[in-house]
Amino acid sequence: MNSVENIILINLKKHTNKTGNLISIDYEKDLNCNIKRSFIVNSSKNIIRGRHAHKKLNQFLVCLNGKCEITCKDGTKEKLFILNNSNEVLFVPNQIWAEQKYLSNNSVLLVLCDDIYLESDYIRDYKLFKEYRNKVL
């Protein structure tokens, strides 16, 4: 079972020259994953989103613009991450509760997933999340 210790911050290589920056993601090499779905969330300052866990799906979070605070919980421990560099990818494994607080206006979060959308994979109530983890243990 995953814990907050399994959360990884991955630094991608940034290629910079006088015309700007280029950051590429090789899903297999950089993330060791086959991405099947992605989505982008735009939000305003102090909005909190997420507030759920996945039973099987793994996610990778990239803040493309602005600043996001990511709180991850495993039912016992909690870890906080600040994302504000587009070359940082936060790996949030399955069975971890995650919340995203947008710390600046026009924050943009890219989320990459290793599976398709399945509502049955979501746990949207924190109390049920803790019960689920206790059953799996």
Side-chain angles (χ1 to χ4, degrees):
M1 170 162 311
N2 286 311
S3 74
V4 293
E5 305 307 321
N6 298 103
I7 300 166
I8 301 168
L9 188 62
I10 301 163
N11 286 299
L12 301 171
K13 186 168 178 151
K14 184 189 297 188
H15 304 277
T16 304
N17 65 27
K18 62 184 176 184
T19 63
N21 299 318
L22 183 142
I23 301 165
S24 65
I25 304 174
D26 180 322
Y27 297 139
E28 288 185 24
K29 180 182 164 207
D30 297 327
L31 306 182
N32 192 28
C33 184
N34 180 18
I35 299 300
K36 294 185 179 177
R37 178 174 173 252
S38 62
F39 57 93
I40 296 171
V41 180
N42 299 47
S43 200
S44 301
K45 187 175 183 177
N46 294 322
I47 298 297
I48 299 175
R49 294 185 50 102
R51 294 183 178 157
H52 65 267
H54 291 277
K55 296 173 188 172
K56 296 183 180 180
L57 181 135
N58 297 296
Q59 293 184 321
F60 299 86
L61 310 177
V62 183
C63 185
L64 299 177
N65 188 61
K67 191 175 190 179
C68 295
E69 176 184 274
I70 314 299
T71 303
C72 298
K73 301 175 184 179
D74 62 15
T76 305
K77 296 181 198 165
E78 179 176 314
K79 270 193 172 180
L80 184 82
F81 300 87
I82 301 294
L83 296 180
N84 62 354
N85 292 310
S86 56
N87 67 310
E88 293 179 335
V89 180
L90 185 67
F91 169 63
V92 180
N94 58 44
Q95 301 177 15
I96 297 293
W97 185 268
E99 299 178 1
Q100 302 87 39
K101 182 175 183 181
Y102 294 81
L103 299 178
S104 58
N105 284 319
N106 299 316
S107 292
V108 179
L109 190 68
L110 169 65
V111 182
L112 307 168
C113 306
D114 69 353
D115 206 352
I116 61 170
Y117 173 83
L118 294 170
E119 180 59 34
S120 61
D121 187 60
Y122 283 73
I123 305 171
R124 297 185 186 273
D125 178 285
Y126 190 70
K127 182 181 174 193
L128 294 176
F129 165 73
K130 289 181 79 170
E131 290 172 9
Y132 176 83
R133 285 193 54 100
N134 287 334
K135 277 191 232 174
V136 175
L137 283 174

